[in-house]
Amino acid sequence: MTRPQDPLLSAIAGGVRLIELGQPFFTDMPCSPNHPGFRMTLIRRHGDMRRPDGGSAANEIIVTGGHVGTHIDALSHVSHDGKLHGDVDAAEAQQGGVFRTHGAENLPGLLRRAVLLDVAAVHDVPTLEPGYGVTADDLDAAAKRAGTEPGAGDVALIRTGWARNFDNPTTYMGKETGVPGATTSAAEWLAARGVVATGADTTAYEQIPAGAGHAVLPVHRILLVESGIFIMEHLNLEAVAVEGVHEFAFVLAPLRIVGGTGSPVRPLAAVSA
């Protein structure tokens, strides 16, 4: 007897195209001053060791922080008044040099509906102004523009256009000029809709005023600590925005780093071919 095909497999058989939503990883890529940067070099080159049959292999060593490049924050990443999400005592959870609760190994793989909230397009600019604060009203307007809004269990991606500056680390990091990002009203808007994760195309997923740096992280507090919503940073939402795709299947598989506070990721938008 022939079994009916799984609807998901049927959809894939119909043709799926993947759109990159992340940045490449390379030495000296833009990185928050709060984290060690990404470094990669070859430690063995072809010809360093030659096997009897003529074969040779090359390999590299990679050194990076867990919050460098396109990545996702685990719930252990931020505490408030000594507490992690779920009223977990942060000091107790991190004993022994790893997190016994909310470690990165608990980050979920995601195959979810995603909504692109294109705030730059709402303002009819390629890139929001440095230090601009994305508000709940901005997200309302972006959802109306998209014709849909994120709901419970969905992924919400905020486009500021800032990824266009990724090749210029000074501009991208915005130490002097600031960086656009979500305000607390935007975070509360997302939390009220019950999204499972959210991300943006900047380094901090926070409004960073000119000269302020990463002094405080109120949006991280609302999302990670109070709401248990995962945060992704350093996304590149330009390609999906150019194609005018506002709703799509979102694919993500974090590394299972035991006791860690985050993981590098390669997010993808899956759309019909």
Side-chain angles (χ1 to χ4, degrees):
M1 183 174 68
T2 303
R3 294 182 179 179
Q5 189 172 38
D6 185 295
L8 181 58
L9 293 177
S10 297
I12 294 171
V16 174
R17 184 167 56 90
L18 299 177
I19 303 173
E20 296 280 353
L21 299 176
Q23 299 283 8
F25 288 79
F26 54 90
T27 298
D28 292 329
M29 64 192 290
C31 173
S32 165
N34 294 333
H35 302 286
F38 179 92
R39 297 289 184 273
M40 191 213 84
T41 189
L42 297 177
I43 60 168
R44 176 175 289 175
R45 293 167 170 78
H46 292 293
D48 288 349
M49 189 276 288
R50 186 178 176 91
R51 293 184 170 85
D53 64 356
S56 182
N59 54 61
E60 66 280 298
I61 182 170
I62 296 172
V63 179
T64 184
H67 300 266
V68 178
T70 306
H71 68 275
I72 187 169
D73 295 346
L75 298 182
S76 56
H77 179 45
V78 169
S79 66
H80 189 71
D81 290 335
K83 299 291 186 179
L84 302 173
H85 177 65
D87 204 37
V88 172
D89 186 280
E92 290 184 6
Q94 67 191 2
Q95 288 183 7
V98 296
F99 276 92
R100 305 296 180 181
T101 306
H102 295 323
E105 74 275 19
N106 298 303
L107 285 163
L110 296 176
L111 177 55
R112 300 291 182 104
R113 172 180 178 265
V115 175
L116 177 67
L117 299 169
D118 195 339
V119 179
V122 165
H123 291 270
D124 197 25
V125 294
T127 305
L128 293 178
E129 289 293 317
Y132 180 82
V134 174
T135 65
D137 287 343
D138 285 322
L139 298 189
D140 266 329
K144 288 184 175 67
R145 183 180 183 278
T148 185
E149 69 174 41
D154 289 343
V155 173
L157 305 179
I158 299 175
R159 177 179 174 264
T160 69
W162 207 246
R164 297 161 66 93
N165 297 319
F166 192 75
D167 290 336
N168 186 329
T170 300
T171 301
Y172 183 78
M173 296 308 301
K175 181 178 180 181
E176 303 300 330
T177 60
V179 179
T183 63
T184 55
S185 74
E188 289 163 354
W189 188 95
L190 293 166
R193 283 151 182 78
V195 299
V196 68
T198 182
D201 51 1
T202 63
T203 183
Y205 200 98
E206 300 269 356
Q207 177 190 18
I208 305 296
H214 301 185
V216 291
L217 301 173
V219 170
H220 281 63
R221 170 181 54 79
I222 293 170
L223 295 177
L224 288 173
V225 182
E226 297 176 3
S227 307
I229 296 171
F230 303 105
I231 296 174
M232 292 169 286
E233 292 157 329
H234 294 289
L235 297 178
N236 187 345
L237 304 175
E238 296 306 291
V240 73
V242 166
E243 294 199 25
V245 180
H246 301 290
E247 182 182 22
F248 48 87
F250 178 83
V251 183
L252 188 81
L255 302 177
R256 299 184 67 194
I257 302 172
V258 176
T261 65
S263 168
V265 292
R266 185 183 182 185
L268 299 165
V271 298
S272 298

